[in-house]
Amino acid sequence: AKPFYRSGDAPEIAPGFDTLLAAYVLRSERSTYPLRELAQGYLEIPPPDTHPRLAVALERLGKELRERLTKEGQLEVLMTTELPLVPILARMERYGVVADRKQLQEFSKTLEIEIASVQARIHELAGRTFTIGSPKQLGEVLFDELKLPGAKVTKTGYATGVEILGELAAEHEIAGKVLQWRELTRLKTTYADALDKLVAADGRIHTTYNQAVAATGRLSSENPNLQNIPIRTELGRGIRKAFHAADGFTLASLDYSQIELRILAHMCGEEALVTAFRTG
């Protein structure tokens, strides 16, 4: 598909994209904004079934949505926040994020060794080999053969989710090892191996930033999702180490500090709360 932006600052908005963003500002709780459905809903017409009809409907729909935004005092959000953000996100996607393939590949090998070690220990504790990733086989080993407590039966067999295993892990080593095996496997397949394949010829990963998805107004990221890279564990941080700033640049991590309480202080003007923030 052709990009809907130019290389400069001014966005060349694809037909209907500004309308989609207008619908997002009006109803941010929706997860998708199919233009034909929007036309049917807001204009009370059958879904446009041809490109010419859709083009006519979009022109009418754009006017309708802008009128509604004006009435609700939200047109400024569309014009000063959402639309100007389009070319910025487009440039971010084209520019990409530097990722070290060699480091990802080395980390994958490290995880592979860890997985093999944990797997061997699980099989030793079970007294036999079995497919750890199979909930059915795992349930049979834990509850039929090892007779661990807390068995819960579902339609497909024993429940072996993180809650069940988490409760057992404190007293039964095999449960903790299974959780460790799952985490290591997830890191390897979902991150180390998958990200390695997504590094482009320019040495960067070009994710897609979704502007009209999150109800909170935040961006989401997909193909790949760069917002869920683990950080709480040392192994998880190993994935993040593969991302570098380009020469002459620095990566910065920014987050709001107690944003809800700050909004509360601003809205209610409670003196003690405001003073607490102003004085650090």
Side-chain angles (χ1 to χ4, degrees):
K2 293 182 179 179
F4 59 81
Y5 49 79
R6 299 188 183 98
S7 59
D9 287 341
E12 180 184 327
I13 305 297
F17 196 78
D18 54 344
T19 304
L20 181 152
L21 287 176
Y24 172 65
V25 173
L26 275 174
R27 296 281 304 279
S28 60
E29 76 279 2
R30 291 185 58 153
S31 57
T32 59
Y33 300 85
L35 294 176
R36 287 179 172 81
E37 289 185 15
L38 292 174
Q40 180 183 24
Y42 282 103
L43 302 178
E44 298 181 355
I45 61 173
D49 55 1
T50 65
H51 289 300
R53 288 176 180 174
L54 179 59
V56 173
L58 286 180
E59 184 175 358
R60 290 180 55 199
L61 181 61
K63 293 178 181 178
E64 173 68 22
L65 293 178
R66 288 181 183 235
E67 288 177 4
R68 295 192 181 214
L69 285 170
T70 301
K71 290 179 182 178
E72 295 189 13
Q74 296 191 78
L75 184 61
E76 186 178 359
V77 176
L78 175 68
M79 302 305 295
T80 64
T81 301
E82 297 296 348
L83 288 178
L85 187 58
V86 173
I88 296 172
L89 294 180
R91 291 200 303 274
M92 287 171 62
E93 291 178 359
R94 292 179 67 187
Y95 195 68
V97 181
V98 177
D100 188 335
R101 290 195 66 187
K102 183 177 179 181
Q103 189 163 342
L104 287 169
Q105 290 166 0
E106 290 176 353
F107 188 59
S108 178
K109 292 177 183 177
T110 300
L111 289 171
E112 189 174 347
I113 294 171
E114 287 279 335
I115 291 169
S117 175
V118 173
Q119 178 174 293
R121 180 56 179 162
I122 291 172
H123 290 162
E124 180 184 348
L125 292 168
R128 69 176 179 88
T129 61
F130 67 98
T131 304
I132 303 171
S134 166
K136 183 176 184 297
Q137 292 185 36
L138 177 61
E140 291 171 353
V141 167
L142 296 180
F143 302 113
D144 288 340
E145 299 172 20
L146 298 180
K147 307 297 183 183
L148 298 191
K152 293 182 180 179
V153 181
T154 67
K155 293 180 180 179
T156 56
Y158 290 108
T160 58
V162 64
E163 292 183 2
I164 299 290
L165 296 181
E167 293 175 359
L168 293 171
E171 298 183 13
H172 301 278
E173 182 185 353
I174 190 171
K177 288 297 181 184
V178 170
L179 289 175
Q180 185 182 2
W181 180 89
R182 286 179 178 175
E183 177 63 12
L184 291 170
T185 303
R186 184 177 71 90
L187 285 174
K188 184 178 187 304
T189 57
T190 305
Y191 296 104
D193 294 346
L195 291 175
D196 174 38
K197 296 175 183 176
L198 290 170
V199 179
D202 60 0
R204 295 171 177 271
I205 291 178
H206 299 269
T207 186
T208 297
Y209 297 104
N210 296 312
Q211 192 175 348
V213 172
T216 58
R218 291 183 172 127
L219 297 173
S220 70
S221 166
E222 64 178 354
N223 299 322
N225 184 345
L226 293 181
Q227 295 177 317
N228 283 351
I229 297 175
I231 195 173
R232 294 181 181 179
T233 65
E234 184 61 35
L235 282 172
R237 288 190 285 274
I239 298 291
R240 292 200 174 208
K241 290 177 182 176
F243 292 90
H244 303 288
D247 292 340
F249 291 85
T250 300
L251 286 177
S253 177
L254 306 163
D255 199 0
Y256 285 112
S257 174
Q258 299 176 309
I259 184 62
E260 292 86 1
L261 286 177
R262 289 178 184 271
I263 292 173
L264 177 64
H266 176 77
M267 297 291 288
C268 71
E270 207 289 318
E271 187 175 345
L273 193 56
V274 172
T275 300
F277 284 119
R278 285 182 173 170
T279 58

